[in-house]
Amino acid sequence: MKKIAILGSTGSIGTQSLDVARKHGYEVCSLVAGSNVKLLEEQIREFKPKTAAVMDKAAGKALKTAVADTDTVVTFGREAVVELAAENDADTVINAIVGIAGLQPTLAAVEAKKDIALANKETLVTGGELVKKAIKENGVKLLPVDSEHSAIFQCLQGAPEGSLKSILLTASGGPFFGKTRDELKNVTVAQALKHPNWSMGAKITIDSASLMNKGLEVIEAVHLFDVDVDDITVVVHRQSIIHSAVEFRDGAVIAQLGTPDMRLPIQYALTYPERSDCQAERLDLFKVGSMTFEKPDTDTFRCLPACIKAIREGGLKPAAVNGANEMAVKLFLEGRIGFLQIGDIVEAALEHQPKVSDFTLDDILEADKAARNLALKFI
Ligand code: NAD
Ligand code: MG
């Protein structure tokens, strides 16, 4: 029986990971969350993990009291989260934490020789080089959960080395597709949170509206599949049925299709290379009827070209654009900046971050901090 640990178990990906675990009868060894005590308590009572950790200290104390009658050992604080990522009985750690907060837990789990099912794209965006090196040194698997990257990974099964020519990374276009900058000036948080096809956490939903999400995914794809950024084409596909495609040297294009439901990519990361029944609704092409493909509007949605430039220039630039965006999204959700300022902040961080070629984890965290501080100046 598969043994898993879920980091970010109370979130959108975390709860869907538990759906998959419930269906397949996986043993859930450990759970980690930010602060949602009520839901984490329910999860502990249902899945009876050996250990649980909560990032927020006050929430952690409350949880400890709430589940004192169970056998689950509760720890709390930032360090406890990183520790638990490494010290658990699981063979696969699902990382569904949001933001750069997922980077150190990923590294800790890899160093503890756990396979990683990775939803936390910010891990690879900020620490791609470090994570890949650690994966290689520890001989563990890195399995993508992000739907586009899972699609690409699925399309590449059985592909001979050197046969991949390019990646077609699909994007829904988000709620503001087709809008002009003028129309975007005064959009509200509620409008930005209304994604046409996917139900997700708040941060990634805003990232989808600004196309930052697609920029982060381009960077994620460069690291996961060892491709040049120029060999990735972003294709706006409003229906979110084709989750991405690959083009081979001979011109053959292979795509992965399905209804938009994260439980399939989550499950595939856990059953790989096997496949089994899935809870997601099955695809009915007659219902879909037709599919459309368009170019992204990079003059309006500037986060996407900023991310492409960041990975092309490399070094700490991807960490800078990511950190700036994390703070910008927080400020936007709090109503302290406008929607278009997210792009301004990301662009400013890209320019502000000096070029470097050699860097450590501490340098990444420093670049992240500097970018967040820069974002605060835009209030
Ligand atoms: P979410 O906000 O719904 O959930 C985030 C989870 O992480 C919660 O359990 C929260 O408590 C926990 N958390 C937050 N900060 C933490 C910290 N510092 N330490 C420990 N736990 C912390 O987010 P989500 O939509 O589930 O997304 C999670 C990750 O997966 C993101 O990186 C996102 O980009 C990626 N992703 C999500 C989807 C999706 O459909 N939701 C799809 C693809 C990729
Ligand atoms: Mg995605």
Side-chain angles (χ1 to χ4, degrees), residues 66-96:
V67 299
D69 61 315
T70 70
D71 294 330
T72 303
V73 177
V74 176
T75 53
F76 43 83
R78 228 164 262 281
E79 277 165 26
V81 168
V82 178
E83 240 164 60
L84 192 93
E87 286 164 30
N88 59 66
D89 294 340
D91 17 70
T92 304
V93 171
I94 303 174
N95 189 344

Side-chain angles (χ1 to χ4, degrees), residues 8-14 32-35 55 78 81 96-99 101 119-122 146 199-201 204 262:
S9 67
T10 56
S12 162
I13 294 289
V32 168
S35 59
M55 187 265 297
R78 228 164 262 281
V81 168
I97 290 175
V98 60
N120 177 254
K121 60 191 80 187
E122 297 90 348
D146 208 345
S199 155
M200 311 179 285
I204 183 176
M262 287 307 295

Side-chain angles (χ1 to χ4, degrees), residues 200-243:
M200 311 179 285
K203 192 253 177 187
I204 183 176
T205 305
I206 300 301
D207 287 351
S208 300
S210 68
L211 289 202
M212 182 71 189
N213 184 49
K214 216 41 61 177
L216 297 175
E217 290 185 355
V218 168
I219 302 175
E220 188 185 7
V222 165
H223 289 302
L224 275 172
F225 305 110
D226 279 321
V227 291
D228 197 280
V229 65
D230 295 318
D231 292 330
I232 300 174
T233 306
V234 173
V235 181
V236 176
H237 162 51
R238 296 291 286 156
Q239 298 77 23
S240 296
I241 296 296
I242 296 183
H243 298 307

